[in-house]
Amino acid sequence: MKRRAGEREKELKKKKLLEELGEGKLPYLTPADADFHHLQKTRYSKLIFRKSDTVPEELHQMVQDGFLTLRKHGCFFQDLVRIKGKDFFTPVSRILIGKPGCTYKYLNTRLFTVPWPTEGCEIKYCSPQIHDACKALIKLNDYLHIEAVKALQGQNLLGTKDTTVIDREQNFATSLIEKGSFSKDQSSCYVPEDDYTSLNNRTSYNLTLLNYMDPLQMPYLKQEPYFGMGNMAVSWHHDENLVERSTVAVYSYSCEGSSAEEASDWNLKGRDPAVWHVGLKK
């Protein structure tokens, strides 16, 4: 009952805001705007952005080849979901790959992982190419785990610490190195005491949700209602099932040969409608 009441309240707020806006739209910023980076630092300080050229080219090639392999083999599927009592196929096609037995739930739909190669588990794939594609995602997750640890270390969240805490952190760093979580040149762990026992769990990724769509081939997509940002693949939402203080990593790739290459004329400032974008609001 509380959930339904909350949904009704949200709908009323949305309706009121849209009535107030009328034909107008709320302003928004993109990286092309001068104030964008200031806003990111002040309101989204825990959002870490990495440009593609900071990621090893070998990893890019491995992951992108794996993605194209999965697409070639028809491994992406649209989900049938129920929203407000009506059934819809999602505009985004998905596949969930990860540790055997892991699941992901959204809109009352539960996805089960296609297992990636795991030591101690006998997993049979219909082709060696799909095996390699799943293995590439393990490599990506290992890399993102390393980067998440480094990013948390770099956050300005550190206080004064005594020798005992520092010793514990060094032991933690050593244990991660021995397990192959990251290389020695990345091992200068400096972890707040209350994060010490949870850092590895917070930054370890046990599954990957791959999303694929070509927005220019989907004219039926709804328009974003508040900011005039163009067609939406996924409406504004927040993930209610995330564990507090856990990390989420996103890798974005625009396929070669997609209709993204055809979109030379676009008039949304700072945005190409043929390219996948993520928007944030508070």
Side-chain angles (χ1 to χ4, degrees):
M1 294 298 291
K2 287 184 178 179
R3 184 174 180 178
R4 289 181 181 176
E7 289 176 354
R8 283 196 298 268
E9 184 180 353
K10 241 191 298 189
E11 285 297 316
L12 289 173
K13 287 183 178 179
K14 175 182 175 180
K15 184 178 179 181
K16 182 179 178 181
L17 176 57
L18 291 175
E19 288 175 350
E20 291 176 354
L21 287 174
E23 296 298 319
K25 298 295 180 182
L26 293 172
Y28 68 92
L29 300 180
T30 76
D33 294 297
D35 295 333
F36 176 86
H37 297 289
H38 174 72
L39 178 66
Q40 180 181 337
K41 288 180 180 178
T42 55
R43 301 303 298 272
Y44 300 98
S45 61
K46 294 182 181 180
L47 173 65
I48 309 297
F49 177 75
R50 295 282 186 267
K51 291 186 177 181
S52 61
D53 58 10
T54 64
V55 179
E57 185 58 36
E58 181 183 359
L59 180 61
H60 275 310
Q61 194 65 50
M62 187 185 306
V63 171
Q64 293 169 12
D65 286 348
F67 178 88
L68 295 174
T69 294
L70 294 170
R71 186 177 163 211
K72 178 182 176 182
H73 282 78
C75 295
F76 290 86
F77 297 94
Q78 292 174 278
D79 295 321
L80 182 64
V81 297
R82 172 155 288 204
I83 304 174
K84 297 179 182 178
K86 296 183 179 180
D87 294 329
F88 298 92
F89 278 107
T90 58
V92 178
S93 300
R94 296 183 170 93
I95 181 174
L96 188 70
I97 299 176
K99 289 184 179 179
C102 287
T103 65
Y104 172 79
K105 183 180 179 182
Y106 77 105
L107 295 176
N108 294 317
T109 300
R110 186 173 295 278
L111 306 181
F112 291 81
T113 55
V114 172
W116 55 34
T118 303
E119 187 176 349
C121 293
E122 185 179 353
I123 302 169
K124 296 181 180 179
Y125 298 90
C126 63
S127 78
Q129 290 81 16
I130 292 181
H131 169 277
D132 293 343
C134 293
K135 192 172 181 179
L137 294 175
I138 297 179
K139 298 290 186 184
L140 176 62
N141 275 18
D142 287 344
Y143 174 82
L144 294 173
H145 171 59
I146 294 168
E147 291 300 302
V149 170
K150 291 164 60 179
L152 288 176
Q153 292 168 11
Q155 295 276 335
N156 188 22
L157 302 173
L158 307 176
T160 304
K161 294 138 50 80
D162 58 32
T163 306
T164 304
V165 175
I166 293 173
D167 289 341
R168 290 177 64 199
E169 291 168 356
Q170 293 302 319
N171 292 336
F172 179 65
T174 302
S175 69
L176 282 178
I177 295 168
E178 290 173 348
K179 292 176 182 176
S181 294
F182 53 87
S183 59
K184 291 184 180 181
D185 63 338
Q186 298 167 319
S187 63
S188 56
C189 276
Y190 192 47
V191 188
E193 184 173 6
D194 62 341
D195 284 350
Y196 174 77
T197 57
S198 64
L199 179 58
N200 195 36
N201 288 335
R202 290 173 58 201
T203 56
S204 295
Y205 305 112
N206 57 9
L207 56 80
T208 300
L209 179 65
L210 282 79
N211 299 301
Y212 170 75
M213 69 171 295
D214 189 345
L216 292 189
Q217 298 299 318
M218 299 175 143
Y220 55 83
L221 293 177
K222 290 184 178 180
Q223 290 282 310
E224 192 284 319
Y226 308 113
F227 301 90
M229 301 174 80
N231 293 339
M232 288 191 305
V234 181
S235 60
W236 294 107
H237 68 285
H238 68 277
D239 291 320
E240 297 176 345
N241 296 322
L242 289 178
V243 176
E244 186 178 358
R245 301 175 71 222
S246 62
T247 56
V248 175
V250 177
Y251 181 94
S252 179
Y253 169 50
S254 295
C255 303
E256 294 181 5
S258 70
S259 52
E261 295 182 343
E262 303 170 7
S264 56
D265 297 325
W266 52 280
N267 54 16
L268 293 174
K269 180 185 175 184
R271 297 183 64 249
D272 183 339
V275 178
W276 183 281
H277 288 78
V278 176
L280 301 174
K281 70 183 181 73
K282 296 194 69 150

